[in-house]
Each structure stands twice: as C-alpha cells, then as structure tokens.
Amino acid sequence: MTVSIIIPAYNSEKFIKRCLDSVINQIYKNLEIIVIDDASKDNTKQIIKEYAEKDNRIRPFYSSENKGVSFSRNIGLKASTGEYIMFVDSDDIIAPNSIQTLMETAILYNAEIVEGSYQDFDSNGIKNTYCHVEKTCIYNSFNYFGFPWGKIIRSDCLKNFCFPEEFLFEDTVMSTLLYPECHNTYAIPDVVYYYRDNSAGITNTCITSLKCIDTFWIMKYCLEERVRRGQSLQERDLERYLFAIYRNWGRTRGMPYDIQESIFLLTCKLIETAFGAIFREYSGKYMKIFRTVKFRSFDAFLTLASNGYIE
C-alpha cells in the first residue's frame, strides 16, 4: 500500500533537511511525499526543490502567499493518493522503521488509525517519552494524542475532513471531529516520532498574542460541527470540553481579566446548550470545574485553575 506523507513547511531551512532525510530513508519504501512550502522567506523552497530533483517520490507544492499550516495540510490531503496518510511537521523527524511498524499493524487489522509513541527533544537531546505502554491493542479514540502527527490514518476516513484555516490550535479537530468517527483504531508502544520542542513555536509564544483567543473559537467550531454532523455527544465528550475550559485558560491567561472572563462565560453557555440533559445530570471526575461552569463563577474557576485543582 502507498503511504502519503504530508509535510507543511514554513521558514524551516534549519530543520527540513533532517526531516526529509528521515522520511526518504524509511525502511518502508512505497511512499508519496507531499511537501508544501507556505511562501517561506528563507531557503526552505530551494531545499525542497533540491530534494525533489533527487527523489521522484517527492511531490512539491509552492504557495505564493503565506496561508498557514492548515492550508498546507489541506493542499496535501487534496493531492494525496495513498491508502494511508501520515502528517509530519517540517522541524520533526521520524524513526527509520516508523512507517513499516505502523503499517504492519494497519494491514493486519485493516485499522483506520494506528498511533505510536513519541519523544520530544531540543538542542540538548531527548527530553520526555510519551508512551502507549500496552502491546498492540484496540484503542479507545478518546485516549489518542490530540495532534495529527505520530500516526497513520486510512485515507477514506479523511474524505470529508479538513483543517479549519486561519485558526491557531487547528489540531483540535483531530480529537473532536475525526477520532469519534473512527472505531477500528490501534495503538502500539514503539516510538515512531520525534517532536522538536521549539521555544519560538506557536505553542510557546501565543500566550502574549490576541490570536490565543482562537482556542475558544476553534472549540466552538468543533462542537457545533459535531452537532451538525449528527455525532452523538456522550458524558466523556462533556468531560473533554470541561477539561478544554482549563486548557483554554492556560492558553489565554496572559490576556486581561475581562477577556478571560468573557471566554469562560461564553464557553459555559456553549457547553450547557450543546449537552442539555447530559450537562444537567453530570456527576463525573471534573466536578470542581463543572460547578464553576454550572454557576457561572469565573473567580471560583480562576482559583481552581491557577492552583491546578481541576478534578
């Protein structure tokens, strides 16, 4: 089976060679490597051209203006022809046997998703390992990592899927829209992906930008899209959104108090409306946060969140 590797790239000249080397040197050779340069201002585009000239599996795309990682991934999805798809970020790398290991499980079980473990690293080396400790197993999609990389996805699962453009935190659509529609999913303990912890990346810098408010809008989009698609909402979905309130506060805590409070109150209304009876009857593990939501008490929530008392 062909695996389409989708690599969005923007100003990645420092890292993209190592990324591309890790992909083209995979043990599993039947690859379609789609690399999208998002109007980089450095030497990224030229590096991609050089690699494409040497390896005919590489299909380069060049954007005339910078439109963001979601736009690039969507270009890759439209262009892909493989039976399975894997996303790789241009500053990350994958282990030499990553695709072979993931595909062995995918083929054996005709899996919709197979996710491996990963490690994060910086200039000093490996920092942490995030591991699925069990052997290959059928996996509850609620427990998958929330980002698109580190896994292979059967392409038919992505026919009606896209990343919302012009938002930060676009990865949210993986856990809230894609995973709930997949049922034959597996996890393996093997480390297949190495994630670069980039201090200059969006994750580490957005807290000082008004764009951090996108964390609310993307959550709203995903919840309303689930309802529109007719996906059933369950108590564990409610718990995911209760935790999202805490996560969203972490991303916006650099904003003025009134903005933080507005996001909290809007989220309270959004969740109560969407979940209805499930909300009214909730008695799960996030009761402390739930009470602050139920009674619209931002100050009480702020006390819990700032001390990490979310359960």
Side-chain angles (χ1 to χ4, degrees), residues 230-242:
Q231 294 181 358
S232 63
L233 295 172
Q234 304 171 34
E235 183 174 291
R236 56 186 176 178
D237 292 297
L238 173 57
E239 293 195 331
R240 174 176 280 159
Y241 281 95
L242 289 172

Side-chain angles (χ1 to χ4, degrees), residues 99-245:
I99 300 173
Q100 176 72 28
T101 304
L102 291 165
M103 283 300 293
E104 285 175 354
T105 300
I107 293 171
L108 181 61
Y109 298 105
N110 190 29
E112 294 168 302
I113 300 175
V114 182
E115 179 176 86
S117 302
Y118 77 97
Q119 294 177 323
D120 62 1
F121 70 99
D122 58 18
S123 57
N124 296 316
I126 299 296
K127 298 173 63 178
N128 303 288
T129 299
Y130 302 87
C131 189
H132 297 298
V133 295
E134 300 180 48
K135 294 181 179 179
T136 302
C137 59
I138 296 178
Y139 210 60
N140 185 333
S141 62
F142 278 81
N143 297 323
Y144 275 124
F145 301 131
F147 22 74
W149 44 260
K151 57 182 70 67
I152 55 173
I153 306 165
R154 207 170 65 197
S155 58
D156 61 349
C157 298
L158 295 165
K159 284 183 178 179
N160 298 313
F161 180 84
C162 69
F163 292 92
E165 298 177 14
E166 300 183 4
F167 284 98
L168 296 184
F169 316 113
E170 75 290 333
D171 291 359
T172 306
V173 297
M174 296 294 292
S175 58
T176 54
L177 295 181
L178 178 64
Y179 296 168
E181 292 190 341
C182 297
H183 307 288
N184 188 32
T185 60
Y186 290 79
I188 58 176
D190 310 66
V191 173
V192 300
Y193 198 93
Y194 299 95
Y195 168 78
R196 186 181 300 276
D197 188 359
N198 184 359
S199 60
I202 291 174
T203 302
N204 293 318
T205 60
C206 71
I207 191 173
T208 60
S209 166
L210 274 173
K211 282 292 285 181
C212 71
I213 298 172
D214 279 1
T215 192
F216 167 75
W217 294 113
I218 197 69
M219 181 185 71
K220 182 177 185 292
Y221 164 82
C222 289
L223 186 53
E224 291 176 346
E225 183 67 8
R226 284 202 65 171
V227 174
R228 189 188 71 80
R229 294 185 179 197
Q231 294 181 358
S232 63
L233 295 172
Q234 304 171 34
E235 183 174 291
R236 56 186 176 178
D237 292 297
L238 173 57
E239 293 195 331
R240 174 176 280 159
Y241 281 95
L242 289 172
F243 180 80
I245 297 175

